[in-house]
Amino acid sequence: LLVPFRERFEELLTCVPYMYRFLSKKKIRHRIFILNQVDHFRFNRASLINVGFLESGNDTDYIAMHDVDLLPLNEHLDYSFPEAGPFHVASPELHPLYHYKTYVGGILLLTKQHYELCNGMSNRFWGWGREDDEFYRRIKGAGLQVRRPSGITTGYETFQHLHDPAWRKRDQKRIAAQKQEQFKVDRQGGLNNVRYQIESRTDLSVAGAPCTVLNILLDCDTNETPWCTFG
């Protein structure tokens, strides 16, 4: 599990032990990586997932991009190896908030081979949103078919969404150049050019659930993406 993260400790304290128990009950071998962005740039979910992919080691054969604030409530949801193609666990028919048909955010499983085929995710999305819409286009461009759960009857009660927008605002600021960029496909960047340093790597336990915290310093070329800063 690759969990992009910044400062949402209440959600993290719930997510790690919950997902450890959920996956252990399903007998799925797993490691939980908390991708903690500790630089001073705006949050970049896609770059953090790229870093998590590169740092996850050779003993893992697939990844789950997993938002910290989304917990599966239905034990029949499939988290097994997605051999046939990207498997979108948080399907728009089940997600409590996002229902458009090209949505692939929240929880998405991919083999490492398929993620490399897409060159990972674009590093150009600083701030909240749109990076998963661009990734959907990468998936289609790589000739892959998104699969989704079937036979799940719990509808919008399939997941618990922990996020409370009343007290935790999302960084949705868009400067003019960024507004133009957010609907484009990034045909150059991804896994091949993500710039980062690992400040520290710590194995720890949250309420008895093991995880690895990567403190990540992302880098930004302000000539390429000036919207990475708050200035």
Side-chain angles (χ1 to χ4, degrees), residues 168-183:
R168 190 179 292 283
K169 303 293 184 184
R170 285 183 166 129
D171 170 20
Q172 293 181 285
K173 179 181 176 184
R174 296 284 188 269
I175 65 171
Q178 186 180 10
K179 290 178 182 177
Q180 304 287 324
E181 286 284 328
Q182 67 182 350
F183 294 105

Side-chain angles (χ1 to χ4, degrees), residues 93-123:
E93 291 84 13
L94 306 173
H95 194 286
L97 290 181
Y98 306 114
H99 311 312
Y100 57 97
K101 64 180 181 178
T102 59
Y103 176 66
V104 290
I107 306 167
L108 180 67
L109 314 183
L110 295 98
T111 68
K112 284 197 153 184
Q113 180 183 14
H114 287 158
Y115 195 74
E116 288 178 330
L117 194 62
C118 297
N119 189 23
M121 302 183 79
S122 172
N123 300 303

Side-chain angles (χ1 to χ4, degrees), residues 66-94:
H66 211 293
D67 286 358
V68 71
D69 60 4
L70 196 63
L71 305 181
L73 300 178
N74 190 320
E75 64 182 22
H76 298 296
L77 287 168
D78 188 3
Y79 273 75
S80 62
F81 184 72
E83 184 173 7
F87 186 75
H88 188 213
V89 179
S91 168
E93 291 84 13
L94 306 173

